[in-house]
Amino acid sequence: MQPIGVFDSGVGGLSVLKALRQTLPHAQFVYVSDAGHAPYGERDVQHVLDRSAAIGRYLVDEHQVRALVVACNTATAAAIATLRANYPTLPIVGVEPALKPAAARSRTGVVGVLATRSTLASDKFAALLQAQDPKVRFVLQACDGLAAAIENAELDQIRDLCARYTAALGPFGRGPGEIDTLVLGCTHYTFAAEVLAPLVGPDVILMDAGLPVAQRTASLLAQRSTDGLTTDATAPWVDLWTTGAASALEHAAGQWLRGTGAARKIEIA
Ligand code: DGL
């Protein structure tokens, strides 16, 4: 049984795992939350690169993963090229802010983007932005502290930060010059969608990249042998590991996903 490896700085990647589970219902997964070394979005690039390399090594060496999903925009921007160079034959899928699908959905031509400071400052994001339709205007907002608040399930703080950051982006709506599409450019933010939606109003579409990442993973795997791509009925469908508190990952997984077992704590150096 060769699982699919998925990692993030914390619980955010569970939003991608949810889409992966829906798209590949018979696959086995191993999920690593690097909460002990988070948040990534406000740390220097070298830290994120080192942590991503260490987790990639752990998933390949200890779990013999058949594919690797970097379920973190910040880690994708910092480390996907290095991971691909380290494991040239392994299918590796990253996540990046859904600018193109958002631009295609927008009617006003104004798209808001919420992401970590590090993602927005990356060369990868600059290239992504550059490749978009020049008629669409993207309004960017770095959300310091929001991933950490979501990680710690601090609801009051999540509400305050979402209110502050959407106010900085706005106005939202269907009128000329208003933002009608909001990109959730950090996998944690999907878990704040219920707080964000009333702040931006009913006319605004929220877009994350969980489903496209899951579909890309499925298509890469379909090009390969599907031997062993079935769930081991005796084990939970996902093996949860964390470098932080096991209770935090277990609680989030229990809240957002079904049929997950206990999370185990591990140090990955
Ligand atoms: N979930 C990560 C992302 O998608 C970042 C969270 C963090 O800052 O650690 O960018």
Side-chain angles (χ1 to χ4, degrees):
M1 178 69 53
Q2 262 189 290
I4 296 169
V6 183
F7 81 90
D8 177 42
S9 63
V11 299
L14 294 175
S15 61
V16 177
L17 182 61
K18 189 172 181 175
L20 281 162
R21 169 75 167 161
Q22 279 159 4
T23 309
L24 293 162
H26 303 297
Q28 198 82 38
F29 297 90
V30 48
Y31 184 90
V32 173
S33 151
D34 197 22
H37 303 267
Y40 282 179
E42 291 146 51
R43 305 288 289 264
D44 61 89
V45 174
Q46 193 59 47
H47 172 80
V48 180
L49 194 52
D50 292 345
R51 293 307 304 157
S52 302
I55 294 166
R57 198 162 50 236
Y58 166 76
L59 287 167
V60 169
D61 293 352
E62 303 297 323
H63 294 276
Q64 290 80 44
V65 293
R66 62 169 57 234
L68 180 62
V69 178
V70 183
C72 174
N73 294 262
T74 310
T76 300
I80 199 143
T82 301
L83 289 168
R84 289 195 172 121
N86 291 352
Y87 309 104
T89 60
L90 184 71
I92 301 181
V93 181
V95 54
E96 58 186 15
L99 301 192
K100 195 171 177 197
R105 290 290 292 275
S106 175
R107 293 289 161 263
T108 61
V110 191
V111 172
V113 182
L114 300 175
T116 67
R117 177 167 297 281
S118 179
T119 295
L120 295 180
S122 67
D123 292 345
K124 208 165 188 315
F125 184 78
L128 181 67
L129 198 55
Q130 188 65 35
Q132 303 309 311
D133 180 347
K135 289 194 291 296
V136 177
R137 183 159 69 87
F138 291 91
V139 189
L140 314 179
Q141 179 62 47
C143 302
D144 288 356
L146 183 54
I150 293 167
E151 188 68 33
N152 301 324
E154 286 160 356
L155 199 53
D156 287 344
Q157 211 183 341
I158 296 169
R159 284 201 190 99
D160 287 353
L161 291 172
C162 286
R164 187 194 310 166
Y165 294 135
T166 51
L169 271 183
F172 291 90
R174 274 192 280 189
E178 293 180 334
I179 295 170
D180 67 350
T181 316
L182 182 61
V183 174
L184 308 183
C186 165
T187 53
H188 279 73
Y189 302 168
T190 300
F191 295 130
E194 285 176 14
V195 175
L196 288 164
L199 287 167
V200 298
D203 296 330
V204 176
I205 301 165
L206 305 185
M207 302 203 72
D208 71 11
L211 198 58
V213 168
Q215 286 165 342
R216 174 80 187 134
T217 308
S219 110
L220 282 180
L221 287 172
Q223 292 163 20
R224 302 186 163 225
S225 158
T226 51
D227 292 354
L229 194 57
T230 49
T231 314
D232 175 351
T234 62
W237 62 272
V238 59
D239 198 7
L240 298 170
W241 296 92
T242 179
T243 61
S247 56
L249 179 58
E250 238 167 62
H251 180 261
Q255 190 176 0
W256 302 108
L257 304 167
R258 275 160 203 243
T260 54
R264 283 171 280 181
K265 187 165 164 71
I266 188 173
E267 201 35 72
I268 300 174

